[in-house]
Amino acid sequence: MTHDATAAPTGAPRIDSNVPHSARMWNYWLGGKDNYEVDRSAGDEIHRLHPGILEYARADRALLGRAVRHLTGEVGIRQFLDIGTGLPTADNTHEVAQHVAPDARIVYVDNDPLVLTHARALLTSTPEGVTDYIDADLHEPEAILEQASKTLDFSRPVAVILLGVAMFVDDTEEAYRIVRRLMDAVPSGSHLLLSHTITAPGFEDVDEAVRFWNSVGTPKLKQRTPEQITGFFEGLDLLEPGVVSCSRWRPAPAVAPAPGGTGAPEQPELPEEVAFYCGVARKP
């Protein structure tokens, strides 16, 4: 079952190709084609200010795949509420989840009109499962929950996915309240997967890139410290390794060459940190 592939509803916001938008710029960094010149120009300038931005975007996307595979295959989650979907690329949530469990049900949420148009046309599903899309804003969790309840059974565990979206809520206490409201609506055994850009010593180029973005783009972005990001998981049980760089959440095994050539055992090598932190937690 899929959502009806129709155009954005009458009265939906008009696509503004004159102002760079985060979803389209993210699509550009990931090698997509659903973006405009204004997005590419802003994306190139941010890349100049923060050369690690491409690794940052790729690490967040790779995290999605690893976390959804874990939640589907190891935890047994069969329902996903993915808020702040962005433009469809490869290995979307429903593709990863339904590869493991064909009966998985996924609801995507976004409020960008270009995302809406593409999502309705491109997001498909296995015959056994469901993929749906709703047009809603993270600032209105009640509307999200009401619409999502038409597809998801909130008496059974749900994985709530907030990748790179809570950072668009400027007030930290409001952001915490929104996440708590979403998690209050799902039962024990549900999980939260959240990622967020950080401000921290050693990432000063990120601060400069964010200042530039907030001067030209939409929506505006709020950086938070790793400690503030940990606050999103209050009352939940964080899975190992806790709140870490997206590149370091259960990465694929990698080893460093043995020092001195032969004779010494190889040691695991952690990926480079990126200025995007994440965590996965279970609701007790």
Side-chain angles (χ1 to χ4, degrees):
M1 176 179 174
T2 64
H3 198 96
D4 181 31
T6 59
T10 303
R14 181 179 64 86
I15 297 171
D16 188 348
S17 60
N18 298 310
V19 177
H21 191 280
S22 61
R24 301 192 307 254
M25 196 160 60
W26 202 259
N27 174 265
Y28 172 53
W29 287 330
L30 289 171
K33 301 184 184 303
D34 299 315
N35 48 73
Y36 298 110
E37 177 58 35
V38 67
D39 307 305
R40 296 188 288 273
S41 295
D44 289 342
E45 177 60 13
I46 290 174
H47 187 206
R48 185 188 70 80
L49 295 170
H50 174 42
I53 190 62
L54 298 184
E55 288 72 26
Y56 172 123
R58 291 165 185 158
D60 189 57
R61 194 67 189 179
L63 164 71
L64 173 66
R66 295 195 305 274
V68 170
R69 279 190 293 272
H70 172 76
L71 292 171
T72 311
E74 303 300 321
V75 179
I77 297 286
R78 294 295 180 267
Q79 302 189 106
F80 295 82
L81 179 59
D82 187 341
I83 304 172
T85 307
L87 287 157
T89 59
D91 297 328
N92 300 290
T93 299
H94 73 286
E95 293 170 321
V96 177
Q98 291 179 347
H99 179 75
V100 178
D103 61 338
R105 305 171 72 88
I106 296 88
V107 171
Y108 291 104
V109 182
D110 212 299
N111 69 334
D112 177 71
L114 184 62
V115 173
L116 175 64
T117 300
H118 281 264
R120 287 184 168 180
L122 298 179
L123 297 178
T124 58
S125 174
T126 58
E128 305 94 326
V130 176
T131 302
D132 204 356
Y133 181 94
I134 59 179
D135 180 14
D137 191 305
L138 178 62
H139 290 83
E140 300 172 346
E142 297 297 339
I144 291 174
L145 293 167
E146 179 184 356
Q147 293 185 64
S149 68
K150 299 172 184 177
T151 302
L152 304 179
D153 177 359
F154 285 125
S155 69
R156 297 172 53 233
V158 176
V160 178
I161 301 176
L162 294 165
L163 291 186
V165 63
M167 61 194 191
F168 296 118
V169 179
D170 183 68
D171 182 84
T172 298
E173 288 306 315
E174 180 187 4
Y176 287 161
R177 284 195 299 272
I178 290 169
V179 173
R180 283 197 297 269
R181 177 65 190 98
L182 293 169
M183 296 309 296
D184 283 347
V186 295
S188 174
S190 295
H191 284 64
L192 172 65
L193 163 60
L194 181 144
S195 68
H196 197 299
T197 190
I198 64 163
T199 180
F203 289 113
E204 288 76 10
D205 57 336
V206 178
D207 300 341
E208 187 176 357
V210 169
R211 281 193 293 272
F212 169 77
W213 168 254
N214 285 341
S215 72
V216 301
T218 186
K220 306 305 180 190
L221 192 156
K222 174 76 170 185
Q223 291 172 279
R224 294 186 169 94
T225 65
E227 292 75 21
Q228 287 175 313
I229 295 167
T230 300
F232 284 105
F233 299 96
E234 183 178 351
L236 305 176
D237 297 331
L238 272 165
L239 277 57
E240 291 294 335
V243 174
V244 295
S245 169
C246 288
S247 58
R248 294 185 172 184
W249 193 89
R250 304 192 180 188
V255 293
T262 61
E266 294 183 338
Q267 297 296 319
E269 184 178 73
L270 282 175
E272 288 292 322
E273 277 201 302
V274 296
F276 219 54
Y277 271 42
C278 71
V280 180
R282 181 185 185 277
K283 181 175 179 177

